[in-house]
């Protein structure tokens, strides 16, 4: 039996998923033709499609802690596992992610499905690689079909500005094409982009960075700091929830403005 079915995911079709999501409750679903989807919390202030990093899926310790904390703050979080991660979970063998363009296409399929199931705006984001995929998706929104929804905003936990130990290989080419609000939650000691490195980058005005004191890529501080990973994750999700709430309110006010 599937790893996900054994973990309590209910197998549903995309059509049935729409009915199941009408009820204000969390749940785990194995969507036919798509893969696993976990829905956390209620959308009191907003809704976020959040993708995992390259080496660990939605059931990793960081993802569980981050998503639970964010859901407790009124942001409904929808988590997915990309196909290569599904294979890792089923076989127990590690494997590298495919080319980023392939993962981006899979993310786009999930967004198209989930965005069609809800009336309100669907934010996007992710951890590390998942955050990179989300920013790439956001950068392409002007090139998509006019009938498709506009991404309201992006939330990233630990953006991989560059591979570790290769700071010259920046992953910022697409950032100027992102028109929506973007929040990056970054540990000060993150080897994918330390605070002193990122300070020298020319970032767009719509990109807001929130630095987590002494945190690494998973927001783990050193013991000498007197902080804990849980404290930094809670701090990060508080900032993220406030960010989503503030811009979601702006969207509501704009939609209610008489022309």
């Amino acid at each position: 039996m599937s790893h996900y079915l054994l973990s309590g995911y209910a197998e549903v079709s995309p059509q049935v998923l729409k009915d199941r999501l009408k009820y204000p409750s969390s749940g785990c679903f194995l969507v036919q033709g798509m893969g696993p989807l976990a829905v956390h919390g209620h959308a009191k202030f907003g809704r976020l499609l959040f993708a995992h990093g390259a080496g660990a899926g939605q059931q990793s310790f960081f993802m569980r802690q981050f998503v639970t904390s964010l859901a407790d703050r009124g942001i409904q979080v929808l988590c997915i596992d990309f196909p290569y991660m599904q294979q890792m979970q089923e076989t127990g063998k590690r494997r590298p992610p495919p080319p980023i363009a392939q993962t981006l296409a899979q993310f786009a399929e999930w967004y198209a499905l989930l965005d069609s199931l809800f009336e309100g705006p669907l934010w996007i984001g992710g951890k590390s690689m998942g955050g990179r995929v989300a920013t790439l998706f956001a950068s392409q929104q002007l090139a998509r079909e006019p009938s498709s929804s506009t991404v309201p905003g992006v939330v990233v936990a630990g953006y991989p500005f560059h591979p570790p130990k290769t700071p010259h290989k920046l992953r910022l080419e697409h950032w100027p094409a992102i028109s929506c609000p973007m929040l990056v939650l970054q540990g000060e000691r993150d080897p994918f982009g330390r605070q002193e490195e990122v300070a020298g980058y020319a970032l767009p005005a719509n990109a807001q960075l929130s630095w987590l004191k002494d945190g690494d890529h998973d927001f783990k501080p050193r013991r000498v700091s007197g902080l804990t990973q849980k404290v930094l994750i809670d701090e990060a999700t508080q900032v993220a929830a406030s960010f989503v709430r503030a811009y979601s309110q702006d969207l509501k006010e704009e939609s209610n403005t008489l022309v």
Side-chain angles (χ1 to χ4, degrees), residues 106-125:
Q106 294 157 354
F107 185 87
E109 291 178 2
W110 270 113
Y111 188 86
L113 171 63
L114 296 174
D115 188 51
S116 69
L117 303 182
F118 302 111
E119 293 183 1
L122 178 61
W123 284 60
I124 60 175

Side-chain angles (χ1 to χ4, degrees), residues 12-126:
V12 297
S13 67
Q15 294 75 22
V16 172
L17 178 64
K18 183 173 183 178
D19 292 332
R20 296 290 293 273
L21 292 179
K22 288 180 180 178
Y23 303 98
S25 61
S26 302
C28 295
F29 308 96
L30 191 59
V31 185
Q32 295 171 358
M34 297 293 292
L37 168 71
V39 182
H40 303 267
H42 311 310
K44 184 177 181 181
F45 302 120
R47 184 174 284 114
L48 172 69
L49 169 59
F50 198 75
H52 60 76
Q58 59 171 282
Q59 296 175 329
S60 70
F61 177 82
F62 177 91
M63 287 287 287
R64 293 198 311 269
Q65 292 292 315
F66 185 88
V67 168
T68 299
S69 182
L70 193 54
D72 287 344
R73 300 183 188 279
I75 306 299
Q76 185 180 68
V77 189
L78 301 101
C79 294
I80 59 175
D81 275 349
F82 293 115
Y84 85 94
M85 183 58 61
Q86 296 174 41
Q87 293 179 21
M88 284 177 56
Q89 297 293 353
E90 298 292 354
T91 63
K93 298 179 180 179
R94 294 186 63 85
R95 57 183 299 148
I100 197 73
Q102 183 176 331
T103 307
L104 175 59
Q106 294 157 354
F107 185 87
E109 291 178 2
W110 270 113
Y111 188 86
L113 171 63
L114 296 174
D115 188 51
S116 69
L117 303 182
F118 302 111
E119 293 183 1
L122 178 61
W123 284 60
I124 60 175

Side-chain angles (χ1 to χ4, degrees), residues 185-206:
L185 306 156
Q186 196 85 354
E188 291 181 344
R189 298 185 299 110
D190 192 330
F192 290 83
R194 300 176 184 274
Q195 186 174 20
E196 59 269 23
E197 294 173 338
V198 180
Y201 302 159
L203 304 180
N206 58 314

